[in-house]
mmCIF file of all heavy atoms in Angstrom:
data_model
loop_
_atom_site.group_PDB
_atom_site.id
_atom_site.type_symbol
_atom_site.label_atom_id
_atom_site.label_comp_id
_atom_site.label_asym_id
_atom_site.label_seq_id
_atom_site.Cartn_x
_atom_site.Cartn_y
_atom_site.Cartn_z
ATOM 1 N N VAL A 1542 102.330 42.661 85.681
ATOM 2 C CA VAL A 1542 102.363 41.393 84.951
ATOM 3 C C VAL A 1542 102.872 41.605 83.551
ATOM 4 O O VAL A 1542 103.699 40.867 83.030
ATOM 5 C CB VAL A 1542 100.963 40.753 84.939
ATOM 6 C CG1 VAL A 1542 100.937 39.556 83.984
ATOM 7 C CG2 VAL A 1542 100.580 40.333 86.341
ATOM 8 N N GLU A 1544 104.784 44.012 82.542
ATOM 9 C CA GLU A 1544 106.222 44.320 82.601
ATOM 10 C C GLU A 1544 107.038 43.038 82.814
ATOM 11 O O GLU A 1544 108.078 42.823 82.198
ATOM 12 C CB GLU A 1544 106.470 45.304 83.722
ATOM 13 C CG GLU A 1544 107.933 45.762 83.818
ATOM 14 C CD GLU A 1544 108.121 46.773 84.910
ATOM 15 O OE1 GLU A 1544 107.113 47.127 85.563
ATOM 16 O OE2 GLU A 1544 109.257 47.210 85.119
ATOM 17 N N SER A 1545 106.528 42.167 83.717
ATOM 18 C CA SER A 1545 107.240 40.913 83.993
ATOM 19 C C SER A 1545 107.294 40.044 82.761
ATOM 20 O O SER A 1545 108.286 39.376 82.465
ATOM 21 C CB SER A 1545 106.542 40.135 85.138
ATOM 22 O OG SER A 1545 106.567 40.909 86.303
ATOM 23 N N GLU A 1546 106.178 40.034 82.001
ATOM 24 C CA GLU A 1546 106.127 39.236 80.779
ATOM 25 C C GLU A 1546 107.186 39.691 79.781
ATOM 26 O O GLU A 1546 107.883 38.909 79.166
ATOM 27 C CB GLU A 1546 104.735 39.327 80.163
ATOM 28 C CG GLU A 1546 104.568 38.489 78.898
ATOM 29 C CD GLU A 1546 103.191 38.642 78.320
ATOM 30 O OE1 GLU A 1546 102.348 39.279 78.990
ATOM 31 O OE2 GLU A 1546 102.941 38.130 77.216
ATOM 32 N N ALA A 1547 107.248 41.066 79.709
ATOM 33 C CA ALA A 1547 108.245 41.594 78.772
ATOM 34 C C ALA A 1547 109.653 41.207 79.209
ATOM 35 O O ALA A 1547 110.502 40.841 78.413
ATOM 36 C CB ALA A 1547 108.114 43.110 78.680
ATOM 37 N N GLY A 1548 109.902 41.243 80.541
ATOM 38 C CA GLY A 1548 111.235 40.887 81.057
ATOM 39 C C GLY A 1548 111.546 39.413 80.823
ATOM 40 O O GLY A 1548 112.658 39.037 80.480
ATOM 41 N N THR A 1549 110.594 38.555 81.036
ATOM 42 C CA THR A 1549 110.794 37.117 80.847
ATOM 43 C C THR A 1549 111.112 36.798 79.395
ATOM 44 O O THR A 1549 111.968 35.985 79.068
ATOM 45 C CB THR A 1549 109.540 36.345 81.298
ATOM 46 O OG1 THR A 1549 109.286 36.691 82.643
ATOM 47 C CG2 THR A 1549 109.747 34.851 81.154
ATOM 48 N N ALA A 1550 110.364 37.485 78.544
ATOM 49 C CA ALA A 1550 110.603 37.241 77.116
ATOM 50 C C ALA A 1550 112.002 37.638 76.723
ATOM 51 O O ALA A 1550 112.674 36.970 75.930
ATOM 52 C CB ALA A 1550 109.574 38.016 76.284
ATOM 53 N N GLY A 1551 112.482 38.724 77.302
ATOM 54 C CA GLY A 1551 113.832 39.161 76.983
ATOM 55 C C GLY A 1551 114.892 38.192 77.506
ATOM 56 O O GLY A 1551 115.935 38.005 76.915
ATOM 57 N N THR A 1552 114.665 37.541 78.659
ATOM 58 C CA THR A 1552 115.647 36.650 79.279
ATOM 59 C C THR A 1552 115.640 35.277 78.609
ATOM 60 O O THR A 1552 116.660 34.682 78.318
ATOM 61 C CB THR A 1552 115.344 36.465 80.777
ATOM 62 O OG1 THR A 1552 115.335 37.758 81.375
ATOM 63 C CG2 THR A 1552 116.382 35.577 81.441
ATOM 64 N N ALA A 1553 114.492 34.741 78.341
ATOM 65 C CA ALA A 1553 114.375 33.387 77.808
ATOM 66 C C ALA A 1553 114.449 33.338 76.294
ATOM 67 O O ALA A 1553 114.490 32.257 75.708
ATOM 68 C CB ALA A 1553 113.072 32.738 78.271
ATOM 69 N N GLY A 1554 114.367 34.490 75.681
ATOM 70 C CA GLY A 1554 114.437 34.532 74.209
ATOM 71 C C GLY A 1554 113.135 34.092 73.613
ATOM 72 O O GLY A 1554 112.274 34.893 73.373
ATOM 73 N N ALA A 1555 112.973 32.734 73.419
ATOM 74 C CA ALA A 1555 111.761 32.223 72.779
ATOM 75 C C ALA A 1555 110.849 31.568 73.778
ATOM 76 O O ALA A 1555 110.122 30.638 73.468
ATOM 77 C CB ALA A 1555 112.159 31.197 71.702
ATOM 78 N N GLY A 1556 110.827 32.014 75.015
ATOM 79 C CA GLY A 1556 109.981 31.390 76.064
ATOM 80 C C GLY A 1556 108.549 31.740 75.895
ATOM 81 O O GLY A 1556 107.991 32.473 76.700
ATOM 82 N N THR A 1557 107.983 31.266 74.829
ATOM 83 C CA THR A 1557 106.619 31.621 74.497
ATOM 84 C C THR A 1557 105.620 30.965 75.424
ATOM 85 O O THR A 1557 104.606 31.543 75.777
ATOM 86 C CB THR A 1557 106.311 31.205 73.042
ATOM 87 O OG1 THR A 1557 107.312 31.764 72.196
ATOM 88 C CG2 THR A 1557 104.931 31.649 72.622
ATOM 89 N N ALA A 1558 105.899 29.701 75.861
ATOM 90 C CA ALA A 1558 104.935 28.992 76.710
ATOM 91 C C ALA A 1558 104.729 29.696 78.017
ATOM 92 O O ALA A 1558 103.624 29.803 78.515
ATOM 93 C CB ALA A 1558 105.430 27.542 76.942
ATOM 94 N N GLY A 1559 105.829 30.216 78.586
ATOM 95 C CA GLY A 1559 105.682 30.920 79.868
ATOM 96 C C GLY A 1559 104.879 32.173 79.703
ATOM 97 O O GLY A 1559 104.075 32.512 80.547
ATOM 98 N N SER A 1560 105.109 32.879 78.587
ATOM 99 C CA SER A 1560 104.341 34.108 78.371
ATOM 100 C C SER A 1560 102.880 33.791 78.228
ATOM 101 O O SER A 1560 102.017 34.508 78.723
ATOM 102 C CB SER A 1560 104.833 34.815 77.112
ATOM 103 O OG SER A 1560 106.186 35.208 77.279
ATOM 104 N N GLU A 1561 102.533 32.696 77.520
ATOM 105 C CA GLU A 1561 101.126 32.350 77.361
ATOM 106 C C GLU A 1561 100.502 31.971 78.678
ATOM 107 O O GLU A 1561 99.340 32.240 78.915
ATOM 108 C CB GLU A 1561 101.013 31.184 76.377
ATOM 109 C CG GLU A 1561 101.368 31.591 74.943
ATOM 110 C CD GLU A 1561 101.309 30.407 74.013
ATOM 111 O OE1 GLU A 1561 101.101 29.291 74.514
ATOM 112 O OE2 GLU A 1561 101.425 30.615 72.798
ATOM 113 N N ALA A 1562 101.301 31.341 79.593
ATOM 114 C CA ALA A 1562 100.734 30.948 80.886
ATOM 115 C C ALA A 1562 100.402 32.158 81.731
ATOM 116 O O ALA A 1562 99.438 32.168 82.474
ATOM 117 C CB ALA A 1562 101.718 30.020 81.623
ATOM 118 N N VAL A 1563 101.219 33.166 81.634
ATOM 119 C CA VAL A 1563 100.987 34.349 82.469
ATOM 120 C C VAL A 1563 99.967 35.272 81.836
ATOM 121 O O VAL A 1563 99.112 35.822 82.492
ATOM 122 C CB VAL A 1563 102.318 35.080 82.702
ATOM 123 C CG1 VAL A 1563 102.094 36.350 83.471
ATOM 124 C CG2 VAL A 1563 103.294 34.183 83.437
ATOM 125 N N GLY A 1564 100.023 35.467 80.501
ATOM 126 C CA GLY A 1564 99.204 36.462 79.810
ATOM 127 C C GLY A 1564 97.723 36.336 80.053
ATOM 128 O O GLY A 1564 97.079 37.298 80.424
ATOM 129 N N PRO A 1565 97.103 35.205 79.852
ATOM 130 C CA PRO A 1565 95.654 35.128 80.019
ATOM 131 C C PRO A 1565 95.205 35.484 81.410
ATOM 132 O O PRO A 1565 94.180 36.117 81.591
ATOM 133 C CB PRO A 1565 95.342 33.662 79.676
ATOM 134 C CG PRO A 1565 96.449 33.250 78.792
ATOM 135 C CD PRO A 1565 97.635 33.965 79.253
ATOM 136 N N GLU A 1585 104.090 38.365 92.157
ATOM 137 C CA GLU A 1585 104.842 37.351 92.897
ATOM 138 C C GLU A 1585 104.916 36.043 92.100
ATOM 139 O O GLU A 1585 105.951 35.366 92.020
ATOM 140 C CB GLU A 1585 104.202 37.105 94.257
ATOM 141 C CG GLU A 1585 104.249 38.351 95.146
ATOM 142 C CD GLU A 1585 103.593 38.083 96.481
ATOM 143 O OE1 GLU A 1585 103.164 36.934 96.708
ATOM 144 O OE2 GLU A 1585 103.507 39.028 97.283
ATOM 145 N N ALA A 1586 103.795 35.631 91.489
ATOM 146 C CA ALA A 1586 103.779 34.394 90.699
ATOM 147 C C ALA A 1586 104.740 34.505 89.518
ATOM 148 O O ALA A 1586 105.461 33.568 89.178
ATOM 149 C CB ALA A 1586 102.360 34.092 90.206
ATOM 150 N N ALA A 1587 104.760 35.665 88.928
ATOM 151 C CA ALA A 1587 105.665 35.841 87.785
ATOM 152 C C ALA A 1587 107.118 35.756 88.206
ATOM 153 O O ALA A 1587 107.955 35.187 87.520
ATOM 154 C CB ALA A 1587 105.372 37.194 87.118
ATOM 155 N N ASP A 1588 107.459 36.308 89.360
ATOM 156 C CA ASP A 1588 108.849 36.262 89.875
ATOM 157 C C ASP A 1588 109.297 34.801 90.123
ATOM 158 O O ASP A 1588 110.389 34.396 89.792
ATOM 159 C CB ASP A 1588 108.970 37.066 91.139
ATOM 160 C CG ASP A 1588 108.889 38.567 90.851
ATOM 161 O OD1 ASP A 1588 109.049 38.956 89.645
ATOM 162 O OD2 ASP A 1588 108.620 39.352 91.794
ATOM 163 N N ARG A 1589 108.399 34.005 90.747
ATOM 164 C CA ARG A 1589 108.765 32.614 91.074
ATOM 165 C C ARG A 1589 108.996 31.823 89.778
ATOM 166 O O ARG A 1589 109.913 31.024 89.685
ATOM 167 C CB ARG A 1589 107.636 31.964 91.895
ATOM 168 C CG ARG A 1589 107.619 32.446 93.345
ATOM 169 C CD ARG A 1589 106.754 31.508 94.213
ATOM 170 N NE ARG A 1589 105.386 31.467 93.692
ATOM 171 C CZ ARG A 1589 104.446 32.283 94.118
ATOM 172 N NH1 ARG A 1589 104.725 33.223 95.024
ATOM 173 N NH2 ARG A 1589 103.214 32.176 93.640
ATOM 174 N N GLU A 1590 108.135 32.084 88.814
ATOM 175 C CA GLU A 1590 108.297 31.358 87.565
ATOM 176 C C GLU A 1590 109.591 31.702 86.873
ATOM 177 O O GLU A 1590 110.297 30.857 86.340
ATOM 178 C CB GLU A 1590 107.110 31.671 86.628
ATOM 179 C CG GLU A 1590 107.112 30.830 85.355
ATOM 180 C CD GLU A 1590 105.883 31.078 84.541
ATOM 181 O OE1 GLU A 1590 104.977 31.798 85.044
ATOM 182 O OE2 GLU A 1590 105.784 30.554 83.420
ATOM 183 N N ALA A 1591 109.921 32.996 86.931
ATOM 184 C CA ALA A 1591 111.185 33.415 86.311
ATOM 185 C C ALA A 1591 112.395 32.803 87.024
ATOM 186 O O ALA A 1591 113.354 32.404 86.407
ATOM 187 C CB ALA A 1591 111.275 34.940 86.312
ATOM 188 N N SER A 1592 112.314 32.714 88.373
ATOM 189 C CA SER A 1592 113.416 32.133 89.155
ATOM 190 C C SER A 1592 113.597 30.644 88.826
ATOM 191 O O SER A 1592 114.690 30.107 88.739
ATOM 192 C CB SER A 1592 113.190 32.301 90.647
ATOM 193 O OG SER A 1592 113.137 33.689 90.941
ATOM 194 N N GLY A 1593 112.461 29.936 88.687
ATOM 195 C CA GLY A 1593 112.514 28.505 88.381
ATOM 196 C C GLY A 1593 113.203 28.243 87.055
ATOM 197 O O GLY A 1593 113.891 27.280 86.854
ATOM 198 N N ARG A 1594 113.050 29.135 86.150
ATOM 199 C CA ARG A 1594 113.692 28.983 84.866
ATOM 200 C C ARG A 1594 115.183 29.253 84.952
ATOM 201 O O ARG A 1594 115.940 28.781 84.127
ATOM 202 C CB ARG A 1594 113.060 29.940 83.855
ATOM 203 C CG ARG A 1594 111.621 29.516 83.472
ATOM 204 C CD ARG A 1594 110.991 30.519 82.567
ATOM 205 N NE ARG A 1594 109.627 30.142 82.277
ATOM 206 C CZ ARG A 1594 108.769 30.938 81.669
ATOM 207 N NH1 ARG A 1594 109.162 32.142 81.241
ATOM 208 N NH2 ARG A 1594 107.546 30.529 81.413
#
Side-chain angles (χ1 to χ4, degrees):
V1542 170
E1544 184 178 359
S1545 299
E1546 182 181 352
T1549 303
T1552 303
T1557 307
S1560 297
E1561 291 177 354
V1563 176
E1585 296 179 3
D1588 288 344
R1589 284 196 301 268
E1590 187 175 353
S1592 298
R1594 290 176 183 170

